[in-house]
Amino acid sequence: HARGRERSSATSPQMAVREVSAHDSLRLLREHLPALLPQDAVEVAASLGVGPGRPLHWSFAEAGCLCTVLPDHLQALGALDVAGLVGRGLDRAGVEAWLAQREGKEATVGRATGVPAHFVVIQELPGAGSAAQTLIVRSVRDGEEVTCEGEDEAQHVPLDTDVLPTSSPPRPLAELRLALLRLCRALHVTELVCRVCTVGQRCLVVEAQLQLDEAASYLCGAKWGACRFPAPFGRLELPEEAAIHELDSRTGASLKFTLLNRKGRVWTLIAGGGASVVYTDTICEYGFAKELANYGEYSGDPPEDFVYEYAKIILGVMTSSPEPHGKILLIGGGVANFTDVASTFKGLVRALKQFGPALKACGTSVWVRRGGPNYSEGLALMKRACEDIGVPAQVFGPEAHLTAIVRDALVAQPGMAKPLSELPPLVVKLPKAAAVERSAAGGGGAGGVVTFDAGTQAIVYGLQTKAVQRMLDFDTLCGRKTPSVAAIINPTGEATFEKFMFGSSDVLVPIYTRLADAMERHGKTAHVLINFASFRSVYDATLEALQFSDVIRTHAIIAEGVPEALTRRLHQEAAKRGVGIIGPATVGGIMPGRFRIGNAGGAVENLLLAKLYRPGSVGYTTKSGGMSNELNNIVALNTDGVREGIAIGGDRWPGVRFIDVLLRFEKDPSIKMMVLLGEVGGREEFLVADAIADGRITKPVVAWCCGTAAEAFDYDVQFGHAGARARGGDETATSKNLALRQAGAHVPRSFDEYGDLIAKVYQALVDGGVIVPLASEPLAPTLPTDFDELRKKGLVRKRANFVSSISDDRGAEPTYAGVPISEIAADDELGVGGTIALLWFRRRLPRYVSKFIELCVIICADHGPCVSGAHNTIVAARAGKDLVSSLISGLATIGPRFGGALDDAAQMFAAALDQGLSPEAFVEQCKREQKVIMGIGHKVKSLDNPDRRVVLVKEYAKSHFSATPLLDFAVAVELITTKKRANLILNVDGAIAVCFVDLLRGCGAFTRTEADELVESGVLNGIFVSSRTLGLVGHFLDQKRLKQPLYRHPADDVTYLLD
C-alpha cells in the first residue's frame, strides 16, 4: 500500500462533485456559517488536520480541552469505530499517544485495507453531550432537499427561493437549516451532512462532511481556500498514477490510470471514457475482477508522443512481475469520433516494441479492437508490431462487437472463464399501430426538443469552423438542398463571412457578434442553437439565447465543466419557456438523413460505416458522446439503422433526460424500437422503468447500464462522467438493470451480449411485420474529400512549399534540431549559445563553442546611442512607433557600413590566407585594387587605446581554440596597417570574424566546405543582428521609460546647399 499524493483544490481537474476532508468541512463552516446567523447562534467545533508535511500543531484556544481523533479519508464514523480507529475524550498528550500508535500502521476499514495518512483532531464542545441530530442539505434537479434525522419527509426548497416551508422545527434549528441552505448555494456545496446538538438557543456543529462541485472553482475557489479532496481509504495515488496524472496535466487530451492489482493478469489500454467502463464491466462479469490490473483510458486525440509515454508507464508496471499462466493485454476502444487511430496506435506500437522482450517473457497475448478514422492502417501497424516482437495478437475492427475481444481472450483458453449461455427466447410485445399514431399526435413529453427534418437550420455559437464544416458535409451526404447552419455567432470577433464547402461548391456563412443581429436576419428559419461557448461563458450565453425562446426552441450545450448550480438554473429557465436543452457536456445528436448536431457521428468514415446518411427504425440515447458513436455502429450491425440518436451529456443534471428522449421516440411513428445505454449514478433510468411499467412507453426498449464493475471495487471509483458514480445503493448499475428488466425492458446479462439482444428484438419486430426492411441497400453517397485528408491517407502528393530542418512543433513539445525544449532548458551545457548552435547549425557543439557565441552576443549587443541603428530606433520610438516598427528601423541600417563588416572581413581574410598570400602581399593587393580592408580601423581606438572587446575575443580564442591561423594572419596584417596609422587596428568586427572562421574550421563539427558555406550564407551578420537586437530593444524601452518627445533634428546641424 504505497503512499502517494492526494488532490488539492488547486490541482484537481474540474470534472465532478468531490468530498472534502472532515477538517476542511468544519473549517468552511467555521469561516462562513456565523455570518449567516445571529451572533452566538452557532458554534462549529474547532479542528486540526494532521498528515504528511503537516505535524500536529496544537492551536485550540482552550489549553485543557478534550478532543476526538480519527483518520480523515471519507470513511463512515461507524466503520471507523468498528475498526478501533476513533479516539474520544483525549487531551493533548492522549492525542499524541493515539497518533503515535496508529500513524504509518496498516488498518482495515470495511473491505478496504490501507495505511491512514491523514487524521483530523476535533475539539469536543462543552455541552455537546446531548443527543445529536443529523442534518442533510442535498442538491436535487430543481432545488435542494433539507433532511433532519427523525423527520418523515425532506423539506424541498425550489431554486428560486431560499425560504423553508412553514412547518419548520423550533427557532435555533430552523435558523441553522436556512443558514446551511444558503451556505450550500453560496459555496456550490452539492451535499452537506452535519451532526448538530441544540443547547438552549445555540446550535453546536460537532461533525461535518461537505461535497463541492469542482467545476465551480473558478467562481468561488477563493472562498474554499486550499481544500483537500481525500482519496478513498486504501487508494492513495501510486507513483505510476502520479506520473500519468502529471502527463495528463500537460495535454488537452485525457490520460487516466488507476492501478488496481499490480500482479493482475488482465491489463487494459482503452481509448475512450465510456469504452473503458464497458471493458471493465465485461472483464468483471466474466469473473476476472480480482485479476483486473488497471482501470483507465486515453481519449481526446492525444499526440503520439503522449500515447507512447502513457503506454510506456503502464507496460512498465505490467512487465515488472512474472505470471506463470501468461498475461492478457486488451487494447480496445469504440469507433472513434475524430481521433486518428493510426496516429495514436503509433504511440502504442513504439511502447510495445520497447517492451517486446519483457512482454514475451510474461507470456503476453494481445487482443485489439478499434474503429474510427484510419483504423485499418492502425490495426495493420499493431499486427505487424506484435509479429515483430513475437507476441501472439488477435486484431479486429468495428465489424466485431466492442467487447468481443474480452470474451475471446477470457473464454477461449482452457481453465479460463465460462462462456455465457445462449440468450433465452424473447417475448417481444409488438406495439399497436393505432397507439403509436395517437401518441404521435399528442405532443408533450419530448423535453421541448424540436422535430428535426431536412429543412432544420441552426445557429452555431462560437467560431467552430470544423464543426460547421462537418455539419455541412453531413448535409451533402443526406442530399439536403440547404445548409443546416444559418449563421455563426463570434462575440469576440467582428461581423463578417466565413467560406465553407457545401458539396463541391463554396458557400458563405454570415458571422455576427451579437445573437440579436443573427435572430433579426435568420429568426424565421433557425430554431436550434448549438452552443460551443466555454464553461465560463456558456451560462450567460444561454440566458441571452433564452430571450429568443419564441424562435430558438432547442439548445445543445457542448461545454464540459459547467457548474451544477448554473446548469440547474438554466434548466429551470428553459422549462418556463418550453425550450429543450440537450447537455451540457454533450456531443449532440444525429438524425440520419436530416440533421446533425455539431460533431455527433464523428468523421465521414463513421457516417458511411453506420449508414447515417439514411434513416433506420431505431432510436437510441446515451450519456456518453464517445459511446454514441459506438451505438451507431452496434445499431447498424444489428438492425436497419438509426432513426435518431441523442447523447444527453455526462453531467449529473442533463437538460433533456433519458425519459424525455424515450417519450419523444414513443411519439415518433417512424421509430419502432429504442436502445438505452445508461450508467452508474443518478436515478434517470428508474424514471424510464416507471414509464415502461405504467404503459407510457410501449415500444420495445433494449437497455443496459454501464458501471456494474463499481461494485467489485473495495472503494469508490469515479468513472469518466461527472454523474457516473453511485451515491446510494439504488444508484448502482446493477440495481438499475434489475429495475429496467422487471419493468419490461430487454436487458442483457452483460454488455457483451448487448448487440445480440438488439438484433433479436429487431428480428422479432421484422417477423411481426412492425418493421419492413429495405428491399436493397441504396448506394452510399459520395463526398468530395479534402486534399489534406487524401494526403494523410497517402492517396495524393504535393511538393511542400517550405522545407524546415531546424525545428518541429508537431509533437508533444517543440524541438530544436531534434532536441526537446525541456531538455535544452535543463541542460546547463547548452545555454543561449548552445540553443543558437542547434537552430543555426543543427547540431550540438562543444561547450567552449557555445560560450564563444555567447561572448560575441554580449560584445555586440550595443555600442551606444550614436551609431546608426540605435539612432534610428530612438527616432522611431520618439515618433510614437511601436517596438517592432522601431526595431525594424534600426535593423534596416545594418549593411556594409554598419555591422555588415563581419561577413566581408571573414571572407577577405579567409580568401587571402587560403590563396597563400602573405600579410604583406594581402595589404599590397588591397592597396593596388583600392579596396578597404574590412575589419581594420577604428575611429577612436588605436594601439595606444586598445579596444577591450577585441582583447576579450583574442584571449578567448587563444585559450580555447585548437588553432587560430586566421586570427594570427589578421594580427600580422594589423602590424602592417598600424605602421601607417595607429588607429588602423583589428577592430571588433574583424576580430570576431576571423575567430569565428577559425572556430568553424577547427572545432571538428564541420567540414571545410560546410564552414565556408556558413560564412558565405551570412552567419556572422546573424551574430551581429541577433545581439544588436538586444541593444535596440533596450534603447526603445529607454526612450519610452524616459517619455521622450518627438525628435526634430536641429537646423544648425544641417548644412543647406541651396545654390
Side-chain angles (χ1 to χ4, degrees):
H1 300 278
R3 293 191 177 188
R5 299 183 306 169
E6 290 184 309
R7 292 178 175 175
S8 70
S9 56
T11 60
S12 299
Q14 298 173 352
M15 61 166 288
V17 169
R18 293 185 62 80
E19 289 89 345
V20 183
S21 68
H23 167 60
D24 284 316
S25 295
L26 288 168
R27 175 182 61 80
L28 288 172
L29 293 184
R30 287 196 302 272
E31 291 175 354
H32 300 283
L33 191 57
L36 301 172
L37 286 164
Q39 188 174 5
D40 298 328
V42 66
E43 182 177 1
V44 181
S47 62
L48 301 173
V50 180
R54 193 175 187 176
L56 177 64
H57 177 65
W58 197 268
S59 57
F60 295 122
E62 299 177 19
C65 67
L66 300 180
C67 299
T68 297
V69 58
L70 63 154
D72 197 357
H73 286 280
L74 307 181
Q75 310 95 324
L77 186 61
L80 291 173
D81 265 325
V82 171
L85 291 176
V86 181
R88 292 185 175 88
L90 303 176
D91 58 12
R92 179 173 183 173
V95 170
E96 290 173 345
W98 190 94
L99 288 171
Q101 291 176 1
R102 290 164 179 82
E103 281 185 301
K105 306 292 176 58
E106 188 174 273
T108 299
V109 181
R111 294 189 302 166
T113 298
V115 178
H118 293 268
F119 299 85
V120 59
V121 182
I122 304 172
Q123 183 180 1
E124 296 175 359
L125 297 176
S130 58
Q133 290 180 290
T134 300
L135 275 178
I136 302 174
V137 182
R138 180 182 289 116
S139 63
V140 292
R141 184 180 180 86
D142 56 353
E144 277 77 25
E145 288 182 349
V146 182
T147 307
C148 186
E149 185 178 357
E151 296 179 2
D152 294 334
E153 293 185 1
Q155 294 177 309
H156 180 266
V157 185
L159 283 172
D160 53 5
T161 181
D162 62 357
V163 178
L164 291 171
T166 54
S167 58
S168 293
R171 177 177 158 264
L173 208 52
E175 289 178 343
L176 179 62
R177 290 188 190 196
L178 182 58
L180 291 174
L181 170 70
R182 292 173 175 172
L183 179 143
C184 288
R185 290 182 173 178
L187 297 184
H188 290 260
V189 176
T190 60
E191 182 172 291
L192 182 153
V193 181
C194 61
R195 297 279 291 168
V196 180
C197 299
T198 304
V199 179
Q201 296 300 307
R202 297 179 71 232
C203 291
L204 308 179
V205 180
V206 296
E207 296 173 27
Q209 189 74 63
L210 274 63
Q211 294 179 7
L212 296 178
D213 179 7
E214 281 191 292
S217 62
Y218 75 97
L219 293 172
C220 56
K223 296 179 182 178
W224 295 346
C227 288
R228 186 174 64 86
F229 299 104
F233 181 63
R235 189 76 283 282
L236 291 179
E237 191 173 50
L238 300 171
E240 297 87 354
E241 295 169 341
I244 288 180
H245 180 74
E246 189 277 332
L247 197 65
D248 178 64
S249 69
R250 292 194 283 116
T251 175
S254 175
L255 301 169
K256 300 292 184 289
F257 174 63
T258 300
L259 185 58
L260 304 174
N261 178 5
R262 190 178 291 272
K263 296 184 178 180
R265 284 188 67 191
V266 182
W267 291 77
T268 63
L269 284 169
I270 308 299
S276 67
V277 179
V278 168
Y279 275 99
T280 303
D281 286 350
T282 308
I283 292 166
C284 294
E285 285 152 10
Y286 276 108
F288 274 73
K290 297 301 181 184
E291 291 288 349
L292 178 60
N294 68 297
Y295 168 76
E297 52 99 3
Y298 65 93
S299 59
D301 202 8
E304 176 188 330
D305 287 347
F306 278 88
V307 177
Y308 162 68
E309 293 293 339
Y310 174 79
K312 187 172 69 171
I313 293 170
I314 296 175
L315 294 181
V317 187
M318 175 183 173
T319 57
S320 63
S321 60
E323 170 53 55
H325 301 292
K327 295 192 177 184
I328 296 167
L329 177 60
L330 300 171
I331 301 177
V335 177
N337 278 316
F338 303 106
T339 296
D340 188 327
V341 175
S343 176
T344 55
F345 270 21
K346 287 177 183 176
L348 296 180
V349 163
R350 285 169 57 190
L352 287 173
K353 288 184 175 180
Q354 179 175 338
F355 286 88
L359 290 168
K360 194 172 181 180
C362 289
T364 305
S365 60
V366 178
W367 304 78
V368 185
R369 191 273 188 185
R370 193 71 162 109
N374 297 321
Y375 78 89
S376 297
E377 297 93 318
L379 296 177
L381 281 172
M382 192 66 69
K383 189 170 185 178
R384 283 198 302 272
C386 291
E387 290 173 352
D388 291 344
I389 63 177
V391 171
Q394 299 294 323
V395 178
F396 303 93
E399 74 284 350
H401 184 64
L402 178 62
T403 56
I405 59 171
V406 179
R407 177 178 63 247
D408 293 345
L410 302 186
V411 174
Q413 303 176 42
M416 300 288 280
K418 294 181 179 179
L420 295 174
S421 59
E422 286 291 324
L423 279 169
L426 294 182
V427 177
V428 179
K429 295 181 180 179
L430 304 182
K432 298 178 181 179
V436 173
E437 291 171 0
R438 284 196 300 272
S439 295
V449 178
V450 300
T451 299
F452 296 95
D453 57 36
T456 301
Q457 283 193 301
I459 291 175
V460 174
Y461 194 101
L463 193 58
Q464 293 285 324
T465 54
K466 288 185 178 180
V468 171
Q469 185 60 67
R470 288 163 182 157
M471 290 179 67
L472 300 189
D473 287 344
F474 184 72
D475 296 344
T476 301
L477 291 176
C478 297
R480 282 185 55 132
K481 304 302 181 186
T482 56
S484 57
V485 178
I488 298 171
I489 310 299
N490 183 21
T492 59
E494 59 182 21
T496 181
F497 291 87
E498 184 76 19
K499 185 169 70 172
F500 295 94
M501 300 303 298
F502 188 59
S504 57
S505 303
D506 292 338
V507 63
L508 290 176
V509 176
I511 298 177
Y512 301 92
T513 59
R514 299 191 318 130
L515 182 60
D517 295 337
M519 296 311 304
E520 183 178 342
R521 182 70 183 272
H522 307 281
K524 292 183 179 179
T525 58
H527 303 298
V528 177
L529 181 73
I530 303 174
N531 196 335
F532 285 96
S534 71
F535 68 91
R536 290 175 181 263
S537 60
V538 72
Y539 176 74
D540 291 333
T542 304
L543 282 183
E544 177 193 5
L546 286 173
Q547 305 304 311
F548 303 97
S549 57
D550 55 330
V551 178
I552 299 179
R553 306 297 300 158
T554 300
H555 296 227
I557 299 177
I558 310 302
E560 297 183 22
V562 182
E564 287 188 2
L566 302 187
T567 297
R568 293 185 297 148
R569 288 180 211 163
L570 289 179
H571 295 337
Q572 183 184 54
E573 188 63 27
K576 291 178 182 177
R577 298 170 179 270
V579 171
I581 292 182
I582 302 173
T586 180
V587 72
I590 194 87
M591 297 77 195
R594 295 163 290 153
F595 190 84
R596 172 187 194 173
I597 298 177
N599 294 312
V604 172
E605 296 97 319
N606 302 344
L607 303 177
L608 296 173
L609 180 72
K611 302 180 178 62
L612 298 177
Y613 47 82
R614 53 93 176 143
S617 304
V618 181
Y620 76 78
T621 183
T622 179
K623 283 193 169 189
S624 169
M627 287 301 294
S628 68
N629 220 33
E630 185 62 34
L631 282 176
N632 289 328
N633 184 56
I634 292 174
V635 171
L637 288 173
N638 295 284
T639 72
D640 65 353
V642 177
R643 170 68 185 181
E644 182 167 304
I646 294 179
I648 65 172
D651 285 357
R652 284 211 301 166
W653 311 117
V656 172
R657 301 164 297 170
F658 285 145
I659 184 64
D660 301 317
V661 176
L662 295 184
L663 288 175
R664 168 188 174 82
F665 293 167
E666 178 74 16
K667 297 177 186 300
D668 186 343
S670 59
I671 292 178
K672 308 300 183 183
M673 64 177 286
M674 311 179 203
V675 171
L676 166 66
L677 185 63
E679 63 182 27
V680 60
R683 298 188 53 79
E684 301 297 334
E685 293 85 352
F686 291 107
L687 301 178
V688 174
D690 292 343
I692 296 172
D694 64 25
R696 282 177 291 151
I697 294 178
T698 63
K699 296 177 182 179
V701 178
V702 180
W704 175 254
C705 294
C706 306
T708 55
E711 298 154 58
F713 299 134
D714 293 336
Y715 41 80
D716 284 343
V717 173
Q718 172 67 58
F719 291 117
H721 297 140
R725 181 178 176 188
R727 287 174 167 78
D730 58 351
E731 291 190 9
T732 65
T734 299
S735 63
K736 292 181 180 186
N737 286 327
L738 178 61
L740 287 164
R741 184 180 292 113
Q742 290 175 340
H746 301 280
V747 180
R749 294 163 294 181
S750 165
F751 183 87
D752 199 36
E753 59 183 22
Y754 192 46
D756 295 337
L757 189 57
I758 291 171
K760 285 182 176 293
V761 172
Y762 171 78
Q763 190 58 48
L765 295 176
V766 171
D767 294 343
V770 176
I771 296 175
V772 179
L774 294 170
S776 61
E777 182 66 39
L779 291 175
T782 57
L783 179 73
T785 307
D786 291 339
F787 179 85
D788 288 343
E789 290 298 318
L790 291 173
R791 183 170 60 179
K792 186 184 293 185
K793 295 177 180 179
L795 299 178
V796 294
R797 65 184 181 184
K798 180 177 80 72
R799 291 184 182 274
N801 291 317
F802 288 92
V803 178
S804 176
S805 63
I806 64 170
S807 63
D808 190 346
D809 63 348
R810 296 171 298 173
E813 65 174 310
T815 61
Y816 298 163
V819 183
I821 284 181
S822 59
E823 183 178 329
I824 296 171
D827 191 341
D828 294 335
E829 292 296 311
L830 284 172
V832 173
T835 303
I836 291 174
L838 289 172
L839 288 172
W840 291 12
F841 310 129
R842 297 190 304 139
R843 64 200 70 187
R844 287 176 180 264
L845 296 178
R847 179 57 178 155
Y848 79 89
V849 178
S850 301
K851 288 293 290 183
F852 182 72
I853 294 173
E854 292 173 5
L855 176 63
C856 294
V857 170
I858 293 170
I859 287 173
C860 295
D862 192 55
H863 197 191
C866 298
V867 297
S868 58
H871 178 84
N872 272 23
T873 299
I874 291 170
V875 172
R878 292 177 62 168
K881 301 296 288 184
D882 61 276
L883 171 62
V884 174
S885 300
S886 302
L887 179 61
I888 290 171
S889 177
L891 291 175
T893 64
I894 296 176
R897 298 183 179 181
F898 173 60
L902 276 81
D903 275 343
D904 290 342
Q907 292 180 44
M908 286 185 72
F909 281 108
L913 181 64
D914 294 343
Q915 292 170 21
L917 295 178
S918 66
E920 294 82 1
F922 170 59
V923 174
E924 185 61 32
Q925 183 186 70
C926 291
K927 180 179 179 181
R928 188 171 57 251
E929 295 177 0
Q930 297 184 339
K931 288 183 178 179
V932 174
I933 302 177
M934 306 302 294
I936 293 291
H938 199 282
K939 286 188 176 182
V940 178
K941 300 298 180 180
S942 64
L943 285 175
D944 299 327
N945 180 25
D947 189 337
R948 182 59 186 161
R949 297 173 299 174
V950 175
V951 174
L952 289 172
V953 171
K954 290 163 65 176
E955 288 179 347
Y956 189 92
K958 285 296 184 181
S959 300
H960 295 87
F961 293 6
S962 60
T964 57
L966 197 58
L967 173 60
D968 297 339
F969 182 84
V971 170
V973 170
E974 180 188 44
L975 292 175
I976 298 169
T977 57
T978 52
K979 289 179 180 179
K980 179 179 180 182
R981 197 162 58 245
N983 68 334
L984 292 180
I985 59 171
L986 180 66
N987 59 33
V988 69
D989 290 353
I992 290 176
V994 296
C995 287
F996 217 95
V997 173
D998 281 336
L999 183 71
L1000 293 175
R1001 291 181 174 183
C1003 70
F1006 306 96
T1007 65
R1008 176 64 176 271
T1009 302
E1010 289 174 331
D1012 292 346
E1013 285 179 352
L1014 285 170
V1015 173
E1016 292 171 6
S1017 298
V1019 67
L1020 289 161
N1021 264 358
I1023 289 288
F1024 185 82
V1025 169
S1026 300
S1027 56
R1028 190 51 59 97
T1029 295
L1030 300 174
L1032 298 183
V1033 170
H1035 284 296
F1036 172 84
L1037 296 174
D1038 186 49
Q1039 296 302 306
K1040 294 298 184 181
R1041 181 170 54 250
L1042 298 174
K1043 297 179 172 55
Q1044 291 298 286
L1046 176 70
Y1047 175 79
R1048 179 181 175 84
H1049 201 71
D1052 60 4
D1053 194 36
V1054 177
T1055 299
Y1056 293 92
L1057 300 176
L1058 303 179
D1059 296 332

